[in-house]
Amino acid sequence: MAAPQRGGDYRGFILLSILLGTRNEAWAGHILYSVPEETDKGSFVGNIAKDLGLEPRELAERGVRIVSKDRMQLFALNARSGSLVTAGRIDREELCAQSAQCLVSFNILMEDKMNLHPIEVEIMDVNDNAPRFLTEEMNVKIMENIAPGVRFPLNEARDPDVGTNSLQSYQLNPNRYFSLVVQTGDDGTKYPELVLERALDREEEAVHHLLLTASDGGDPPRSGTAHIEVTVVDVNDHAPVFSLPQYQVTVPENVPVGTRLLTVKAIDPDEGVNGEVTYSFRKITPKILQIFQLNSHTGELFALEGLDYEESGYYEMEVQAQDGSGSLTRAKVLITVLDVNDNAPEVTVTSVSSSIPEDTPPGTVIALFYLQDQDSGNNGKVTCTVSENLPFKLERSIDNYYRLVTARNLDREILPVYNITLKATDGGTPPLSTETYIFMKVADTNDNPPAFLHSSYSVYVPENNPRGASIFSVTAHDPDSDENARVTYSLAEDTIQGAPLSSYVSINSDTGVLYALHSFDYEQFRDLQLRVTAHDSGNPPLSNNVSLSIFVLDQNDNAPEILYPTIPTDGSTGVELAPRSADPGYLVTKVVAVDRDSGQNAWLSYRLLKASEPGLFSVGLHTGEVRTARALLDRDALKQSLVVAVQDHGQPPLSATVTLTVAVADSIPDVLADLSSLEVPRDSDASGLTLYLVVAVAAVSCVFLAFVTVLLALRLRRWYTSRLLQVSGGVLAGVPPSQFVGMDGVQAFLQTYSHEVSLTADSGKSHLIFPQPNYADTLISQESCEKSEPLLTSVDFHECKDEAQSIQQAPPNTDWRFSQAQRPGTSGSQNGDETGTWPNNQFDTEMLQAMILASASEAADGSSTLGGGAGTMGLSARYGPQFTLQHVPDYRQNVYIPGSNATLTNAAGKRDGKAPAGGNGNKKKSGKKEKK
């Protein structure tokens, strides 16, 4: 290692300095090195790895680096060798001026543990500067009458080196008139003085030229020279005298530029030119010349630039006063600069973490920073604070280093980003502060499971839905971010009727959309119970469940199924018997049908679609009973063909048809005798059919005209009656309620009483007419008014009035319940077999279908016309076993009608020939025929 050559060879001195001066010491945590100035870049300073107890390769692994508050880095780390080396040329005079000891302090930071190690390097001085005079030309004026031995001060030389390398001696070139004396000041500064050895004679020699040499004590020594011009002047026996030997002033550092700081004053009692005094700086540096200005005539000292306490706290200079003859004197000027709080604190962030996990425990260090203030005293005392509402706190480290640590647990879902403000405030008046911002993100951890919007979901899907159609969508939200918030959906494993749930419903794992893989059948199952699971993609993953109920809505997808009459399996044709002596309203047979749908889709209505003899038979709209519409005539054909349509009330409605063959004869032998003559030639059939059509069209036209006429008459009569009632102000009161007892869904299937009130104007009496039912499916209350006429009974309105008010409707029977095994019919059953039970449909629908089947059972129980035992519909005795209802279940068990004490049983003699209790039967003639 060699130092630069400046005026000589210093290699020996530098080598000696390295061997003797490069050392390292560690005490109280400090490490001290020394290095000579002016060494080359990369010169060895010390083995920092060894002193820290590390291997060279660990410097980079553990993030060891230099942390310095100075803006210029003087040293660097050699990661390969683990040594501390110089980062460039070091000038001791620039760093420490003429201080006896020059120390450079910095810290070594171990990034992994955020530990700091203070380092101090002493910069050793080398003789790299020669003594230099302020001016190379000095003028000295000496009166010719000056006696020998008088001393004249000369400008001293300055050497920025220290110790033996600084200025040591002055030498004057040999001459006859002058010698040199060196004075040493209190601060050790050497001042040269010119001593007059012989009297001067201006006439002999007016100007003397001398050479002054200043030398230092370096090896090799360096020197500087100045030329002295001595002018011999006429006699001036008075020199200027300052008013004070030393001038002092104290000014704040923020004094404005151009301010007069002080005034020096020197007095010369001489007159004329010898008494004119001029002022000038004597002992001053180039830096001071840039800061201060001295008025040579007035002695006023001004500030040319702003003062800075942080650069220098005081200034010392010398001024001299010289009269016109050259006599001069000197005085010292001291300027003290007071510190002003003009520097805000500085925050230097040494190390910071830009992102930390949200599960970081309290006390984790996230930043390391350094505080400094260039002011002094209280102005330089710095305090640092952080916002109290943030989960962070400050901890003090060594020197002015602080650590920012977590004070409590973090939650990214509450606040994902923190903008931390570090506020540094000094103790000045007024205080100055600096804010530094640290932007920190909170990294997400998977600490939140997905959450559904609702605790359960219900979905209503119509049956017969298309396969693969979307039926619902569930959404779960995860407040985490990125992968921790990516939610996937799945269905819990389950089975439905022995099949896996995944064969019925699937879910999109990304969107949560549910798809139906099958077309649902309401008659197969009514609802599905699912459990949807939402998983996030964190590690470990979190999940949440929600229950989902899918309800299948019924649609009208089942046509009515006709239970009776059934189609024989042996190819024969079933025949119903109607005697020619049957009166109008005679019950010939009954069509029994059920619908496997539920609700309105299972409500059935019957109508006659086609008949070989129009107008001969009628079909009950809600009961399906086939009755004679008029009396049978001898001209009516023996064989009557009827097509009955059964239609439900769905949208769109579905229907089924059945063809009935009715034989018109008084006895079975008559039927057998005429069976061979049922067929007639097709030509006569066609001609007869044409005649019938013409007659039918004419009859329909006549009936329509008659109907229109009667309708108009009834409308006029009603209008006239309403007008009479308004005039008379009569009030109809006390009419008893209907004797029908039951639910709304059964009203259309049970016969009710109708009440017709005949009111006449200006009459005190009116009539109440009760039409009588002609079949046994209606239950008549015993409390009704007794009637003796077979069809109509006229009673005095006033007599029945009070009695009608006392009639109360029977309370509903609390036993109106069907167990699953007792509900009749196959509507809505899943298996569709003959003995199946109905599912839990709406209450009105079950009542409705129960009453339909009860009516069918009543038809099967009759013995007057059709005869036969139970379950044969009365046909077994007439036409043989092919007419038995083997496929019709017995619906007569445990059928209760609400509001009545009556029970439908298997008792015979209830049809046509025998009237029920409280009602009137058919005509006696018809009853006798039935007994036969």
Side-chain angles (χ1 to χ4, degrees):
M1 174 185 319
Q5 298 295 329
R6 293 189 180 183
D9 189 2
Y10 296 95
R11 290 185 179 180
F13 176 79
I14 294 174
L15 291 175
L16 180 62
S17 298
I18 295 175
L19 294 175
L20 300 178
T22 303
R23 64 194 183 279
N24 63 80
E25 297 178 17
W27 74 95
H30 287 69
I31 300 176
L32 178 63
Y33 297 107
S34 63
V35 62
E37 65 172 334
E38 301 296 336
T39 57
D40 294 334
K41 180 180 179 180
S43 299
F44 176 83
V45 178
N47 192 344
I48 193 67
K50 179 180 179 181
D51 295 334
L52 293 178
L54 302 175
E55 294 294 331
R57 58 179 177 80
E58 292 182 300
L59 295 181
E61 295 175 357
R62 304 186 64 175
V64 178
R65 58 188 176 94
I66 296 176
V67 179
S68 175
K69 61 183 178 180
D70 296 325
R71 291 180 175 85
M72 183 176 63
Q73 293 289 342
L74 300 178
F75 301 95
L77 289 176
N78 189 329
R80 181 175 299 177
S81 63
S83 302
L84 182 68
V85 297
T86 58
R89 187 184 68 84
I90 301 176
D91 189 355
R92 183 186 186 280
E93 290 73 33
E94 183 180 352
L95 291 177
C96 304
Q98 290 184 316
S99 299
Q101 187 178 26
C102 183
L103 294 176
V104 177
S105 300
F106 55 91
N107 294 289
I108 295 295
L109 172 66
M110 299 180 68
E111 189 78 24
D112 58 340
K113 296 184 178 180
M114 291 192 180
N115 291 333
L116 293 169
H117 298 274
I119 305 294
E120 288 185 351
V121 178
E122 183 179 3
I123 308 301
M124 308 299 295
D125 183 53
V126 297
N127 191 24
D128 57 342
N129 293 284
R132 188 180 300 276
F133 291 92
L134 182 63
T135 59
E136 294 181 359
E137 298 288 337
M138 291 185 288
N139 295 319
V140 179
K141 294 179 179 181
I142 301 176
M143 302 296 294
E144 60 179 352
N145 60 347
I146 295 299
V150 178
R151 299 181 180 186
F152 298 94
L154 300 176
N155 293 336
E156 72 272 13
R158 295 182 59 84
D159 191 340
D161 294 329
V162 296
T164 58
N165 296 327
S166 64
L167 178 64
Q168 297 294 324
S169 62
Y170 291 94
Q171 292 179 359
L172 187 65
N173 63 319
N175 62 85
R176 296 180 301 168
Y177 297 96
F178 300 94
S179 65
L180 187 68
V181 176
V182 179
Q183 300 289 338
T184 303
D186 296 337
D187 57 354
T189 304
K190 293 180 172 58
Y191 302 101
E193 292 181 350
L194 188 63
V195 180
L196 182 61
E197 296 291 337
R198 295 177 61 183
L200 299 176
D201 187 1
R202 179 181 175 279
E203 287 72 19
E204 182 180 355
E205 189 175 359
V207 177
H208 299 268
H209 294 280
L210 305 175
L211 181 64
L212 179 63
T213 302
S215 302
D216 60 18
D219 185 16
R222 291 175 178 265
S223 62
T225 60
H227 294 278
I228 303 174
E229 184 180 283
V230 179
T231 303
V232 180
V233 298
D234 289 336
V235 174
N236 184 16
D237 55 345
H238 291 93
V241 178
F242 284 98
S243 59
L244 295 173
Q246 180 174 300
Y247 293 88
Q248 294 183 355
V249 65
T250 301
V251 295
E253 64 175 335
N254 59 349
V255 62
V257 176
T259 301
R260 182 174 61 86
L261 304 179
L262 57 84
T263 301
V264 294
K265 187 66 175 176
I267 300 174
D268 192 340
D270 294 333
E271 294 181 352
V273 177
N274 295 328
E276 293 179 0
V277 179
T278 58
Y279 304 92
S280 62
F281 288 114
R282 183 176 181 275
K283 181 183 179 182
I284 197 170
T285 63
K287 181 65 175 177
I288 295 178
L289 283 176
Q290 297 176 1
I291 299 176
F292 303 99
Q293 182 184 22
L294 181 63
N295 191 314
S296 60
H297 298 288
T298 63
E300 295 178 331
L301 187 64
F302 297 92
L304 291 179
E305 295 181 357
L307 303 180
D308 192 354
Y309 174 83
E310 285 70 34
E311 289 188 5
S312 177
Y314 70 96
Y315 296 92
E316 181 180 353
M317 63 196 76
E318 283 186 0
V319 296
Q320 64 183 9
Q322 186 174 6
D323 58 16
S325 300
S327 298
L328 55 85
T329 186
R330 62 186 180 183
K332 184 177 292 187
V333 177
L334 296 178
I335 299 176
T336 303
V337 180
L338 295 179
D339 182 45
V340 177
N341 190 25
D342 60 343
N343 293 282
E346 296 179 3
V347 179
T348 303
V349 179
T350 305
S351 178
V352 64
S353 300
S354 60
S355 177
I356 60 173
E358 63 177 328
D359 58 351
T360 300
T364 302
V365 179
I366 62 173
L368 182 67
F369 57 93
Y370 175 80
L371 300 179
Q372 65 178 353
D373 194 328
Q374 295 180 2
D375 295 327
S376 62
N378 291 330
N379 297 333
K381 294 181 179 179
V382 183
T383 59
C384 187
T385 58
V386 67
S387 300
E388 295 181 358
N389 57 349
L390 296 179
F392 306 99
K393 64 180 180 179
L394 295 174
E395 292 181 357
R396 187 160 187 173
S397 183
I398 63 174
D399 296 335
N400 287 330
Y401 282 91
Y402 287 83
R403 294 183 297 181
L404 182 65
V405 300
T406 56
R408 57 180 184 268
N409 293 324
L410 306 178
D411 192 350
R412 191 204 66 86
E413 286 69 36
I414 297 178
L415 191 61
V417 176
Y418 287 94
N419 193 1
I420 306 170
T421 301
L422 300 176
K423 185 175 182 181
T425 306
D426 60 22
T429 304
L432 300 179
S433 62
T434 300
E435 290 184 352
T436 301
Y437 304 95
I438 297 177
F439 184 81
M440 189 193 67
K441 293 183 179 180
V442 181
D444 183 52
T445 57
N446 192 26
D447 57 345
N448 292 281
F452 291 91
L453 298 179
H454 304 284
S455 59
S456 62
Y457 295 88
S458 297
V459 185
Y460 297 89
V461 181
E463 67 174 339
N464 303 321
N465 56 289
R467 294 184 179 181
S470 171
I471 58 176
F472 193 67
S473 176
V474 295
T475 302
H477 175 69
D478 195 327
D480 294 327
S481 65
D482 299 330
E483 288 298 312
N484 296 330
R486 189 168 66 87
V487 180
T488 57
Y489 304 88
S490 62
L491 293 176
E493 293 294 334
D494 199 356
T495 57
I496 300 176
Q497 296 181 355
L501 177 63
S502 57
S503 64
Y504 289 89
V505 179
S506 68
I507 189 170
N508 190 310
S509 61
D510 296 326
T511 63
V513 177
L514 287 165
Y515 298 92
L517 301 181
H518 280 272
S519 180
F520 297 148
D521 189 357
Y522 178 83
E523 287 71 32
Q524 184 180 1
F525 54 82
R526 306 293 177 85
D527 60 272
L528 293 175
Q529 300 296 328
L530 313 177
R531 182 165 293 278
V532 180
T533 303
H535 300 266
D536 59 23
S537 301
N539 187 19
L542 302 178
S543 62
N544 200 355
N545 299 324
V546 68
S547 60
L548 175 65
S549 300
I550 300 178
F551 297 96
V552 182
L553 301 179
D554 183 47
Q555 288 187 330
N556 191 27
D557 60 340
N558 291 283
E561 181 181 353
I562 298 176
L563 301 180
Y564 182 82
T566 57
I567 300 176
T569 58
D570 56 357
S572 60
T573 302
V575 179
E576 301 291 340
L577 182 63
R580 289 188 178 274
S581 58
D583 294 330
Y586 177 82
L587 178 62
V588 178
T589 185
K590 185 173 184 177
V591 178
V592 180
V594 293
D595 196 324
R596 292 201 301 166
D597 294 326
S598 64
Q600 184 176 346
N601 297 329
W603 295 355
L604 303 181
S605 60
Y606 304 81
R607 62 188 177 91
L608 185 60
L609 186 64
K610 182 180 178 183
S612 58
E613 187 72 20
L616 181 57
F617 298 94
S618 64
V619 177
L621 178 63
H622 302 297
T623 62
E625 295 176 346
V626 180
R627 295 180 179 271
T628 57
R630 60 175 174 81
L632 298 177
L633 303 178
D634 294 333
R635 62 180 176 82
D636 293 332
L638 172 64
K639 178 182 178 182
Q640 299 290 336
S641 178
L642 307 177
V643 178
V644 179
V646 184
Q647 180 175 298
D648 58 24
H649 287 71
Q651 292 296 332
L654 301 178
S655 61
T657 60
V658 64
T659 301
L660 302 176
T661 301
V662 180
V664 180
D666 290 335
S667 61
I668 296 178
D670 295 339
V671 177
L672 299 177
D674 295 336
L675 284 178
S676 59
S677 61
L678 288 178
E679 297 183 3
V680 295
R682 290 186 179 180
D683 295 339
S684 61
D685 242 351
S687 61
L689 181 59
T690 303
L691 178 61
Y692 289 151
L693 289 176
V694 173
V695 174
V697 171
V700 168
S701 300
C702 295
V703 171
F704 176 77
L705 293 176
F707 173 79
V708 172
T709 303
V710 173
L711 181 61
L712 291 176
L714 290 176
R715 298 290 292 180
L716 290 174
R717 179 182 177 187
R718 182 175 300 175
W719 174 81
Y720 179 73
T721 303
S722 63
R723 297 288 295 176
L724 290 178
L725 290 175
Q726 294 177 3
V727 173
S728 61
V731 179
L732 179 62
V735 179
S738 173
Q739 299 305 310
F740 168 74
V741 179
M743 303 298 291
D744 293 341
V746 194
Q747 284 181 348
F749 298 89
L750 295 180
Q751 179 68 21
T752 64
Y753 284 111
S754 64
H755 311 293
E756 180 179 351
V757 180
S758 299
L759 301 176
T760 59
D762 300 330
S763 175
K765 293 189 176 182
S766 299
H767 291 82
L768 185 63
I769 301 175
F770 297 83
Q772 302 300 312
N774 55 0
Y775 56 91
D777 290 343
T778 302
L779 301 180
I780 308 298
S781 175
Q782 296 297 331
E783 288 80 9
S784 63
C785 296
E786 296 292 337
K787 296 169 285 293
S788 59
E789 293 297 325
L791 293 177
L792 299 175
T793 302
S794 297
V795 296
D796 188 85
F797 183 80
H798 295 288
E799 294 176 356
C800 192
K801 179 178 181 180
D802 298 333
E803 182 180 356
Q805 292 178 350
S806 63
I807 299 176
Q808 301 293 332
Q809 184 177 356
N813 193 346
T814 58
D815 294 332
W816 178 255
R817 302 181 181 89
F818 288 86
S819 66
Q820 187 70 16
Q822 293 172 341
R823 291 174 182 169
T826 59
S827 174
S829 62
Q830 298 179 3
N831 51 14
D833 59 1
E834 299 172 0
T835 60
T837 59
W838 285 4
N840 293 327
N841 298 325
Q842 293 86 345
F843 186 75
D844 292 348
T845 305
E846 294 179 348
M847 297 272 301
L848 178 61
Q849 296 182 354
M851 293 311 302
I852 294 174
L853 300 178
S855 179
S857 176
E858 182 67 21
D861 288 341
S863 61
S864 60
T865 304
L866 300 179
T872 63
M873 292 295 289
L875 302 179
S876 176
R878 290 190 175 189
Y879 304 110
Q882 65 270 24
F883 296 101
T884 59
L885 302 180
Q886 299 177 357
H887 300 284
V888 179
D890 191 356
Y891 304 112
R892 298 165 297 175
Q893 301 297 323
N894 299 325
V895 178
Y896 302 98
I897 299 178
S900 173
N901 295 324
T903 303
L904 297 180
T905 62
N906 198 21
K910 290 185 179 181
R911 181 184 178 200
D912 293 335
K914 295 182 181 181
N920 294 325
N922 293 333
K923 295 181 179 180
K924 296 180 179 180
K925 181 178 179 181
S926 177
K928 291 180 180 181
K929 291 180 179 181
E930 294 299 319
K931 291 179 180 180
K932 293 179 180 181

